[in-house]
């Protein structure tokens, strides 16, 4: 008997639902049915290719090598299911989502003839309607339902999601009211009120500040009701804090109408007044951050934060994620969903900027996840003057969202109710599944890139259409008037009332002659002080009780006895124990781990991330140890006591830009966490150069933002070539000014211990750039005794403890690992006429201490700055600029080079020796060279 003979008698709705399950998730159906449907699909593709779509007696398909006849009624049911599946997968390509021009054409279309159906089938009742919640319905009703869900003002992409429960939830959500909003009259009036605020605000600025840049929201004003709806609904769902990042377009509107920033303050910024405090230089009005407390309609108070951002588009996204995670770790460790990150993108930027991909890839990683972000694209369909077709290869600007299988909704920004509806979907999805979701609001840009720009130079046809186009408030108010919900006077009253309030605030703003910069997230920074450069040089007590230090050392040098570790791990931990309790010679790793341990014991948190930081690039840290058989992770620093801070360390994804941005944001929101980012090699940090230039070095000056991020950058010339030698010290030092950061290059474990502790023990926060060693991690002389940790403090300058002052004729200043190279030569050649002084802090320059040392060696008549970097790199230019005494120094360095170091180990060693020779003998100047036939003499 044919095992498929029951196809003639079974209820067709059963097969329709089974086939729908197969199309959604083939693995969800029993293997024999999977084979049957695979045969059916193959047969149908062949038949459609040949335009031979079955006869009245049905169609046959091959399953397991045998021909199976499918009854005509069942065959058509399967075709309807295929049609439903096509709408789910491709309906977004055929929507009414573009308000100002026709959509591109895609094929094949969703015409029923492409699915083996005909116009004669439109009146036929199909049980396939049950798979979309309609029950048995005529084909025309099924198509109408699908058109309303998938091809109206909202296009939905989601069928690539690999978790059936999410797909099912989305389909059920979409089926309600055919994916259309069903707001009551009060809600519609509220939406109109927010839309009026958005439109009227831009109109007011356009008349009062003619020609001034404001990066208007006009053409995408529905963003304001959308965010408002998210905030209000999220408050009902228990969200306590919002962290938002966005670029300049529409930012002033959002600040006023969502975050509650006084329009008076914005008008002051438009008027170009000077700042109240001389210490800050400020920034343009559309870059500033803001923190406020908003009272939701249900009475709940919500902490609202919009992060400051530079003009470098998408940079702020990484910062927002870091801020959000810090707030989650600090305030809601049991429920991350109480903090909601929202990132607003531009269409050109989200498609073109690589950092978006880096941030999206963080979304589900343990060290970086924030329980989902709502991404909103303010889609102008243009980037400055560049058409969208020239701005990306992908179909949509949001296609990056598919990397993490996030749902994407494309919405006509003129249909404000659809925008609000889609926004509520995004929130519900994020809260339920703790996952990212993307909203693409297709609108337009009323003016050029800024209000003084002429867009018709490059898009004359588009801007002709835009000039005739009604704004979203006009479109929506006409719709409500037609429905009898409001009359024309209602809109006029809304407009006049809002405009009057703006006029009043404008008048108040012009009574003041200074602009006040309001600190961002002041609630997180209570008790911290702003300090100037000279105050940064004040000593901070970083000593630590020796008894307690010993207890910490015991904890971090004792593995759990009931677990088995690799022998190398056991030896490493055993060696650490000997260092502290027997030899009194602690290496760099112990200095670093003890710094973390002491801060944890004092209640501070410690977070470190970066590539391979758990073990350390050079296998020195081993902050995380793996049990041999189970790979269970053991972090001894979390075993100190019950009241200690949290120690968190994460190997990052292979990213610099995004991860540095994240960690900077984390430090911004958590000043009592020692937040560290470590580069795999120091020069890799230049992948994050935008973060370094725009945030780390300048944020306090621009935005009144303190930040205590620590950057550990391995640096040192050991013959490893151009890319693994220099951390590009000169670039950081060039950015140093006034009181913006610390820069250090330590030479002892005790000094790195005190430096890291100072970062938390001070009552202010500054970014700290540390050039860390590689070879010194195991150098026999780069050790410190226990007493050096428990007493004393950070030494900005370390004098030559072994020098006999009266014998010294050459006083050599150097920094970092090069000191040990010079020391080896000095000891080997018994050069007691040379003193080696280590400058451990490069900024702020410890001028007084350096001068005191110079004055101490009264018989010295030769002062040297020695560095292993080329003359155009390293610290020399910085020291020459910031420290007047260097005018009399001679300089020992590599020559001027374009590349930091030679690729040849032999050549590198030769150049290193030439510098050392010149340090100790001024007649051996390696910079001297003669020109022969326009070529430099070979070395």
């Amino acid at each position: 008997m044919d095992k498929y003979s029951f196809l003639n008698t079974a209820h067709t709705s059963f097969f329709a639902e089974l086939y729908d399950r197969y199309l959604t998730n083939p693995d969800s159906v029993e293997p024999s049915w999977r084979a049957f449907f695979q045969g059916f699909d193959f047969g149908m593709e062949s038949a459609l290719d040949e335009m031979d779509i079955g006869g009245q007696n049905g169609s046959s398909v091959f399953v397991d090598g045998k021909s199976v006849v499918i009854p005509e009624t069942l065959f058509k049911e399967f075709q309807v299911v295929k049609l439903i599946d096509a709408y789910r997968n491709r309906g977004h390509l055929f929507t009414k989502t573009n308000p100002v021009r026709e959509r591109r054409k895609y094929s094949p279309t969703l015409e029923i003839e492409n699915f083996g159906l005909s116009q004669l089938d439109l009146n036929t009742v199909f049980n396939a309607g049950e798979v979309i919640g309609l029950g048995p319905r005529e084909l025309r009703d099924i198509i109408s339902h699908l058109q309303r869900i998938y091809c109206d003002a909202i296009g939905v992409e989601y069928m690539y999601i690999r978790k059936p429960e999410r797909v099912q939830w989305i389909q059920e959500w979409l089926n309600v009211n055919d994916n259309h909003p069903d707001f009551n009259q009060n809600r519609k009036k509220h939406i109109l009120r927010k839309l009026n605020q958005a439109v009227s605000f831009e109109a007011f600025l356009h008349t009062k500040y003619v020609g001034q840049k404001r990066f208007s929201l006009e053409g995408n004003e529905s963003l304001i009701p959308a965010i408002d709806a998210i905030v209000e609904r999220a408050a009902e769902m228990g969200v306590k804090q919002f962290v938002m990042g966005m670029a300049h377009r529409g930012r002033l509107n959002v600040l006023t109408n969502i975050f509650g920033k006084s329009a008076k303050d914005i008008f002051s910024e438009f008027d170009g007044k000077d700042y109240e405090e001389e210490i800050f230089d400020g920034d343009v009005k559309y870059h500033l951050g803001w923190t406020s407390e908003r009272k939701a309609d249900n009475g709940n108070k919500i902490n609202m934060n919009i992060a400051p951002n530079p003009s470098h588009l998408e940079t702020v996204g990484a910062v927002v994620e870091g801020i959000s995670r810090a707030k989650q770790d600090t305030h809601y460790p049991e429920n991350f969903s109480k903090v909601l990150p929202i990132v607003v993108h531009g269409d050109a930027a989200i498609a073109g900027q690589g950092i978006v991909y880096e941030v999206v890839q963080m979304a589900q990683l343990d060290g970086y996840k924030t329980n989902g972000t709502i991404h909103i694209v303010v889609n102008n369909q243009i980037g400055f003057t560049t058409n969208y077709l020239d701005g990306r290869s992908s179909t949509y600007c949001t296609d990056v969202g598919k990397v993490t299988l996030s749902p994407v909704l494309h919405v006509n920004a003129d249909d404000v109710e659809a925008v609000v509806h889609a926004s509520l979907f995004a929130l519900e999805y994020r809260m339920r599944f703790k996952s990212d979701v993307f909203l693409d609001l297709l609108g337009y840009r009323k003016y050029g890139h800024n209000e003084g720009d002429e867009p018709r130079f490059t898009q004359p046809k588009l801007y002709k259409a835009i000039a005739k186009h009604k704004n979203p408030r006009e479109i929506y108010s006409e719709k409500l008037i037609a429905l009898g919900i409001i009359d024309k006077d209602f809109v006029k009253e809304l407009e006049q009332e809002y405009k009057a309030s703006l006029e009043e605030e404008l008048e108040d703003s012009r009574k003041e002659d200074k602009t006040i910069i309001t600190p961002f997230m002041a609630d997180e920074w209570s008790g911290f002080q702003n300090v100037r450069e000279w105050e940064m040089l004040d000593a901070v007590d970083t000593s630590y009780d020796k008894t307690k230090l010993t207890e910490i050392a015991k904890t971090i040098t004792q593995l759990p006895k009931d677990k088995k570790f690799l022998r190398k791990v056991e030896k490493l931990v055993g060696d650490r124990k000997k260092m502290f309790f027997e030899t009194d010679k602690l290496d760099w790793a112990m200095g670093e781990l003890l710094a973390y341990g002491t801060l944890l014991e004092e209640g501070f948190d410690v977070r470190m991330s970066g590539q391979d930081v758990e073990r350390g690039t050079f296998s020195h840290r081993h902050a995380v140890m793996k049990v041999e058989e189970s790979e269970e992770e053991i972090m001894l620093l979390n075993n100190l006591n019950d009241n200690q801070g949290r120690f968190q360390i994460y190997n990052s994804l292979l990213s610099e830009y995004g991860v540095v941005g994240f960690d900077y944001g984390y430090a911004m929101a958590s000043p009592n966490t020692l937040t560290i980012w470590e580069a795999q090699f120091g020069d890799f940090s230049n992948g994050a150069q935008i973060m370094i230039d725009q945030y780390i070095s300048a944020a306090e000056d621009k935005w009144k933002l303190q930040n205590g991020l620590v950057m550990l950058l391995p640096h040192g010339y050991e013959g490893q070539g151009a890319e693994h030698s220099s951390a590009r010290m000169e670039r950081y030092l060039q950015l140093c000014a006034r009181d913006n950061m610390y820069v250090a290059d330590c030479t002892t474990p005790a000094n790195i211990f005190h430096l890291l502790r100072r970062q938390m023990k001070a009552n202010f926060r500054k970014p700290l750039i540390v050039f860390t060693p590689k070879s010194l991690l195991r150098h026999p002389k780069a050790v410190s005794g226990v007493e050096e940790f428990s007493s004393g403090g950070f030494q900005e300058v370390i004098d030559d403890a072994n020098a006999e002052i009266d014998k010294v004729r050459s006083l050599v200043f150097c920094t970092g690992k090069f000191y040990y190279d010079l020391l080896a030569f000095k000891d080997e050649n018994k050069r007691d006429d040379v003193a080696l002084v280590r400058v451990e802090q490069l900024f702020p320059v410890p001028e007084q201490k350096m001068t005191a040392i110079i004055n101490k060696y009264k018989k010295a008549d030769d002062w040297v700055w020695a560095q292993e970097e080329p003359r155009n790199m390293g610290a020399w230019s910085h020291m020459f600029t910031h420290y007047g005494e260097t005018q009399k120094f001679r300089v020992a360095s590599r020559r001027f080079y374009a590349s930091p170091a030679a690729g040849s180990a032999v050549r590198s060693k030769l150049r290193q020796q030439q510098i050392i020779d010149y340090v100790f003998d001024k007649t051996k100047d390696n910079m001297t060279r003669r020109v022969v036939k326009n070529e430099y003499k070979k070395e």
Side-chain angles (χ1 to χ4, degrees):
M1 179 180 175
D2 183 355
K3 68 176 181 178
Y4 293 107
S5 60
F6 64 90
L7 291 172
N8 292 291
T9 57
H11 200 285
T12 55
S13 64
F14 168 77
F15 296 115
E17 290 177 12
L18 195 62
Y19 187 43
D20 179 57
R21 279 172 49 199
Y22 163 77
L23 291 173
T24 303
N25 179 21
D27 292 335
S28 67
V29 300
E30 194 269 332
S32 62
W33 277 114
R34 189 158 62 245
F36 172 78
F37 291 133
Q38 286 169 348
F40 173 76
D41 284 349
F42 179 76
M44 279 311 305
E45 288 170 10
S46 300
L48 285 169
D49 288 343
E50 298 171 13
M51 296 307 291
D52 178 18
I53 314 295
Q56 291 186 346
N57 296 322
S59 294
S60 61
V61 299
F62 281 90
V63 181
D64 296 332
K66 295 180 180 180
S67 178
V68 178
V69 176
I70 302 175
E72 175 69 12
T73 53
L74 184 55
F75 173 82
K76 287 289 184 75
E77 291 283 358
F78 285 163
Q79 292 309 95
V80 175
V81 174
K82 289 283 277 188
L83 176 65
I84 293 169
D85 187 62
Y87 269 92
R88 290 169 172 171
N89 278 286
R90 304 183 71 248
H92 58 86
L93 297 172
F94 307 100
T95 55
K96 304 163 188 169
T97 48
N98 199 319
V100 289
R101 54 185 168 194
E102 287 188 15
R103 291 206 60 183
R104 287 181 280 178
K105 304 299 181 185
Y106 297 93
S107 62
T109 66
L110 298 175
E111 297 299 323
I112 59 176
E113 288 77 11
N114 291 327
F115 298 88
L117 300 166
S118 72
Q119 299 298 311
L120 298 174
D121 296 312
L122 289 174
N123 295 325
T124 303
V125 173
F126 288 97
N127 288 308
E130 294 192 10
V131 304
I132 50 176
L134 291 180
R137 296 290 283 272
E138 290 184 358
L139 179 59
R140 70 174 65 255
D141 294 334
I142 292 173
I143 291 172
S144 175
H145 177 72
L146 293 170
Q147 283 280 337
R148 281 175 54 78
I149 289 178
Y150 294 107
C151 299
D152 201 359
I154 303 174
V156 190
E157 295 185 90
Y158 69 97
M159 287 297 285
Y160 43 77
I161 296 174
R162 296 173 190 150
K163 296 187 176 180
E165 69 278 9
R166 297 189 182 190
V167 172
Q168 182 180 353
W169 182 88
I170 291 171
Q171 290 174 351
E172 289 173 356
W173 204 95
L174 296 176
N175 283 338
V176 175
N177 201 38
D178 294 356
N179 191 26
H180 279 64
D182 186 21
F183 300 132
N184 61 34
Q185 290 193 14
N186 288 336
R187 185 64 179 273
K188 290 175 187 284
K189 288 179 180 179
H190 178 79
I191 290 171
L192 178 61
R193 188 171 289 108
K194 296 307 292 185
L195 195 55
N196 174 70
Q197 290 174 1
V199 172
S200 298
F201 181 78
E202 298 294 354
F204 187 86
L205 291 179
H206 194 64
T207 56
K208 299 297 182 181
Y209 297 97
V210 179
Q212 276 210 45
K213 290 182 183 180
R214 70 178 192 276
F215 298 99
S216 154
L217 187 59
E218 287 163 281
N220 253 301
E221 294 97 330
S222 54
L223 175 70
I224 299 301
I227 298 175
D228 176 73
I230 290 172
V231 170
E232 291 295 334
R233 177 68 181 123
E236 294 173 7
M237 299 176 78
V239 172
K240 300 297 184 184
Q241 298 206 36
F242 287 83
V243 184
M244 186 169 170
M246 68 181 298
H248 39 279
R249 182 147 324 276
R251 186 183 185 91
L252 300 179
N253 209 316
V254 169
L255 279 166
T256 300
N257 293 314
I258 297 296
F259 284 80
K261 183 173 182 176
S262 166
K264 182 185 79 170
D265 292 339
I266 290 175
F267 297 149
S268 288
E269 292 157 8
F270 265 101
D271 287 332
K273 299 170 185 175
D274 198 4
Y275 300 105
E276 183 182 51
E277 296 178 77
E278 205 173 302
I279 190 173
F280 304 108
D281 279 347
D283 199 355
V284 292
K285 50 194 169 287
Y286 38 79
H287 286 174
L288 301 176
W290 185 257
T291 296
S292 61
E293 189 172 78
R294 171 170 165 164
K295 191 173 183 179
D297 290 345
N298 67 357
N300 289 348
K301 291 181 179 179
I302 316 163
N303 182 271
M304 305 280 291
N305 304 277
I306 184 168
N309 67 284
S311 287
H312 296 67
L313 299 176
E314 300 298 339
T315 300
V316 75
V319 177
V320 162
E321 300 299 340
I323 292 171
S324 301
R325 178 59 181 264
K327 287 177 172 289
Q328 290 166 341
D329 282 342
T330 303
H331 303 298
Y332 311 103
E334 303 303 319
N335 186 359
F336 278 13
S337 294
K338 288 182 179 291
V339 179
L340 174 60
I342 302 174
V343 180
V344 180
H345 309 265
D347 52 308
I350 192 174
Q353 292 293 313
I355 190 174
V356 179
Y357 182 88
E358 296 182 35
V359 172
V360 165
Q361 280 287 20
M362 294 180 191
Q364 297 300 323
L365 302 181
D366 285 345
Y368 308 92
K369 65 185 178 184
T370 55
N371 272 21
T373 298
I374 296 177
H375 298 268
I376 304 176
V377 180
V378 175
N379 192 334
N380 303 307
Q381 307 186 55
I382 189 171
F384 206 144
T385 66
T386 303
N387 283 314
Y388 73 97
L389 291 173
D390 297 319
R392 62 178 186 266
S393 297
S394 59
T395 301
Y396 296 113
C397 63
T398 51
D399 281 349
V400 68
K402 297 170 188 175
V403 170
T404 47
L405 306 180
S406 303
V408 181
L409 281 74
H410 308 278
V411 195
N412 188 324
D414 270 0
D415 189 335
V416 65
E417 285 195 17
V419 170
V420 171
H421 183 69
S423 301
L424 294 174
F425 167 91
L427 175 65
E428 296 276 354
Y429 185 88
R430 183 268 179 179
M431 297 300 287
R432 177 177 289 266
F433 297 112
K434 302 176 176 56
S435 176
D436 286 5
V437 59
F438 287 74
L439 289 178
D440 178 18
L441 308 186
L442 273 100
Y444 54 92
R445 190 185 66 195
K446 185 173 181 180
Y447 305 105
H449 178 65
N450 60 64
E451 286 63 35
D453 198 31
E454 175 53 82
R456 289 175 296 180
F457 286 145
T458 50
Q459 283 82 24
K461 185 178 177 182
L462 173 64
Y463 274 87
K464 188 175 182 180
I466 290 172
K468 301 175 183 176
H469 196 73
K470 294 179 179 179
N471 70 47
R473 184 187 64 188
E474 291 175 310
I475 293 169
Y476 191 49
S477 59
E478 287 175 5
K479 177 181 176 181
L480 296 188
I481 290 169
L483 291 171
I485 295 173
I486 62 168
D487 56 27
K488 291 181 180 179
D489 290 338
F490 183 86
V491 182
K492 287 181 181 177
E493 288 171 10
L494 281 181
E495 190 174 0
Q496 290 170 359
E497 181 183 331
Y498 187 71
K499 184 180 178 182
S501 71
L502 293 178
E503 289 282 7
E504 186 178 337
E505 298 225 39
L506 177 63
E507 186 177 339
D508 289 344
S509 78
R510 290 181 171 168
K511 295 174 184 176
E512 299 174 359
D513 59 0
K514 295 284 185 182
T515 294
I516 299 172
I517 299 178
T518 305
F520 176 61
M521 290 197 300
D523 52 320
E524 304 284 6
W525 285 85
S526 176
F528 289 90
Q529 306 296 317
N530 292 112
V531 298
R532 303 301 297 268
E533 181 180 352
W534 54 87
E535 296 171 284
M536 292 170 66
L537 289 164
D538 291 345
V540 175
D541 183 7
T542 56
S543 61
Y544 190 81
D545 180 75
K546 189 173 181 179
T547 302
K548 292 198 292 184
L549 187 69
T550 302
E551 288 303 312
I552 293 171
K554 286 179 182 176
T555 301
I556 66 174
T557 59
Q558 181 64 56
L559 291 168
K561 293 180 180 178
D562 60 339
K563 301 182 189 297
K564 189 174 184 295
F565 296 85
L566 290 172
R567 287 182 183 176
K568 287 183 178 180
V569 172
E570 292 174 346
K571 182 180 184 304
L572 180 142
V573 174
D575 288 345
R576 288 178 177 176
K577 193 167 191 174
K578 287 179 184 176
M579 289 177 199
F580 192 97
F581 295 100
E582 296 178 25
T583 64
D584 196 30
K585 292 181 178 180
L586 280 66
D587 66 6
W588 196 274
M590 275 297 279
E592 190 186 325
L593 294 173
L594 286 172
Y596 305 149
T598 56
L599 289 170
L600 291 166
E601 191 277 331
E602 290 173 323
F604 295 102
D605 294 332
V606 175
R607 173 192 164 92
M608 174 182 266
S609 88
Q611 294 155 28
D612 311 298
V613 296
E614 294 178 7
R615 190 203 73 173
T617 300
F618 311 104
S619 197
H620 84 287
R621 183 173 295 116
H622 292 275
V624 177
M625 299 178 188
K626 300 284 185 77
V627 176
E628 186 173 0
E629 298 299 328
S630 65
E631 293 196 359
E632 176 189 353
E633 295 186 345
I634 303 296
M635 286 187 279
L636 298 174
L637 281 168
N638 275 328
N639 298 337
L640 303 178
N641 60 57
D642 293 338
N643 299 315
Q644 70 170 86
R646 291 165 301 166
F647 178 69
Q648 301 177 85
I649 185 166
Y650 301 102
N651 288 339
S652 75
L653 66 163
L654 199 65
S655 151
E656 286 82 33
Y657 189 0
V659 175
V660 170
F662 184 101
D663 285 337
Y664 180 87
Y666 197 102
M668 188 192 297
S670 188
N672 284 313
T673 298
L674 178 66
T675 307
I676 301 171
W677 177 79
E678 182 177 58
Q680 193 176 63
F681 285 90
D683 54 324
F684 291 173
S685 66
N686 60 18
Q689 198 65 48
I690 290 173
M691 280 306 311
I692 295 161
D693 290 346
Q694 309 307 319
Y695 279 96
I696 291 169
S697 66
E700 187 167 6
D701 199 30
K702 293 190 293 187
W703 305 318
K704 206 172 181 177
L705 276 183
Q706 292 192 62
N707 195 291
L709 178 67
V710 179
M711 297 180 72
L712 301 182
L713 309 176
H715 174 90
Y717 283 61
E718 288 127 347
Q720 292 189 331
E723 271 71 57
H724 291 147
S725 298
S726 173
R728 296 290 189 170
M729 179 186 292
E730 63 282 351
R731 294 186 178 172
Y732 294 92
L733 295 174
Q734 186 187 38
L735 294 170
C736 291
R738 302 201 300 186
D739 49 24
N740 67 335
M741 66 173 104
Y742 284 113
V743 180
D745 190 3
C746 299
T747 58
T748 72
N751 226 22
I752 190 67
F753 170 88
H754 289 292
L755 177 65
L756 293 172
R757 284 182 52 73
R758 183 181 73 174
Q759 194 69 357
M760 289 290 100
K761 300 293 283 184
N763 66 347
F764 59 89
R765 295 288 179 264
K766 302 285 180 181
L768 169 61
I769 313 300
V770 189
F771 301 106
T772 54
K774 294 172 288 180
S775 61
L776 296 195
L777 298 175
R778 295 171 181 83
H779 197 291
K781 291 197 173 182
V783 293
S784 302
V786 174
E787 196 65 36
E788 295 176 74
F789 293 89
S790 60
S791 61
F794 177 68
Q795 300 179 75
E796 291 93 346
V797 185
I798 301 177
D799 196 0
D800 193 330
N802 298 318
E804 297 181 40
I805 296 174
D806 291 338
K807 291 183 179 180
V808 172
R809 298 294 180 269
S810 290
L811 187 59
V812 179
F813 288 85
C814 61
T815 186
K817 164 258 175 188
F818 194 40
Y819 162 76
Y820 290 96
D821 296 345
L822 297 175
L823 180 63
F825 186 94
K826 178 187 173 183
D827 290 347
E828 184 180 340
N829 292 277
K830 298 181 172 52
R831 291 294 300 272
D832 57 5
D833 62 323
V834 177
L836 302 176
V837 180
R838 289 168 272 177
V839 181
E840 303 276 292
Q841 179 171 290
L842 294 167
F843 192 81
V845 177
E847 296 180 56
Q848 292 184 358
K849 292 183 178 180
M850 291 176 69
T851 301
I853 290 173
I854 290 173
N855 294 335
K856 172 183 169 182
Y857 292 94
K858 299 186 183 300
K859 293 187 178 181
D861 58 5
D862 178 35
W863 301 273
V864 184
W865 178 263
Q867 65 178 42
E868 56 187 350
E869 300 85 4
R871 183 67 56 90
N872 54 312
M873 302 177 194
W876 166 243
S877 296
H878 165 77
M879 296 305 296
F880 185 78
T881 302
H882 287 266
Y883 183 45
E885 291 291 331
T886 55
Q887 307 293 322
K888 64 184 180 183
F889 283 24
R890 64 182 173 91
V891 186
S893 71
R894 277 172 167 76
R895 295 175 179 174
F896 291 88
Y897 290 109
S899 176
S904 162
V906 172
R907 182 173 293 187
S908 179
K909 187 175 181 181
L910 171 65
R911 290 177 178 175
Q912 192 85 349
Q913 190 57 50
Q914 287 176 340
I915 309 169
I916 295 170
D917 289 345
Y918 181 49
V919 168
F920 290 91
D921 185 347
K922 66 176 70 175
T923 68
K924 296 182 177 180
D925 188 353
N926 63 314
M927 294 293 287
T928 304
R929 51 193 169 183
R930 60 189 178 86
V931 178
V932 180
K933 293 182 180 179
N934 297 321
E935 293 183 2
Y936 289 126
K937 181 183 177 183
K938 291 183 179 179
E939 298 171 354

